[in-house]
């Protein structure tokens, strides 16, 4: 009987110590801290720049975020052709074809080294990249 009473007493002490009251106080203090924080200022220049970004700007950002620059440079051949050479060879009519080449990869047009496929890329993003590349066409 003593064991039962001791176990019950111990259990009630543990339950009281771990009650929701303590959690409620913690949540309440966190909520009050959140409400006291000052709002962060909006960088209106960054918002305006993002709103005014051209498809070419978006294409450049996509290129910079991938592995493309490991094989291509803007104005000189690296492993693959320069973007200016590609721009001078193709026109906007080739956008779909070039976007598909980015996604599927390719070989033979610029030499024997194959271009790595980018199978996870959407066609829309590949087209934005092509728009940027074609914008580099010389005169």
């Amino acid at each position: 009987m003593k064991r039962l009473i001791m176990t019950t007493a111990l259990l009630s002490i543990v339950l009281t110590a771990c009650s929701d009251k303590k959690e409620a106080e913690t949540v309440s203090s966190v909520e009050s801290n959140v409400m006291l924080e000052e709002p962060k200022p909006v960088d209106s220049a960054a918002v305006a720049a993002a709103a005014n970004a051209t498809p070419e700007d978006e294409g450049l950002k996509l290129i910079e975020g991938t592995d493309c620059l490991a094989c291509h440079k803007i104005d000189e051949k690296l492993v693959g052709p320069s973007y200016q050479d590609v721009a001078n060879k193709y026109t906007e009519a080739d956008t779909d074809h070039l976007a598909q080449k980015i996604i599927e990869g390719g070989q033979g047009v610029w030499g024997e080294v194959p271009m790595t496929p980018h199978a996870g890329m959407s066609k829309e993003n590949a087209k934005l990249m092509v728009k940027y590349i074609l914008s580099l066409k010389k005169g």
Side-chain angles (χ1 to χ4, degrees), residues 11-22:
L11 185 58
S12 65
I13 291 171
V14 169
L15 288 175
T16 304
C18 298
S19 71
D20 288 338
K21 182 178 179 185
K22 189 173 184 178

Side-chain angles (χ1 to χ4, degrees), residues 62 99 102-103 118-129:
L62 288 167
I102 291 171
I103 294 168
H118 299 86
M121 182 171 295
S122 71
K123 183 95 175 212
E124 293 77 26
N125 284 346
K127 284 182 179 182
L128 288 171
M129 294 166 78

Side-chain angles (χ1 to χ4, degrees), residues 56 83 86-95 98 127-138:
E56 290 82 5
Y83 288 141
V86 174
N88 291 331
K89 181 172 182 155
Y90 295 99
T91 68
E92 285 188 31
D94 300 307
T95 299
L98 292 173
K127 284 182 179 182
L128 288 171
M129 294 166 78
V130 171
K131 277 190 175 289
Y132 166 72
I133 293 167
L134 293 178
S135 74
L136 301 172
K137 185 181 291 272
K138 289 184 178 179

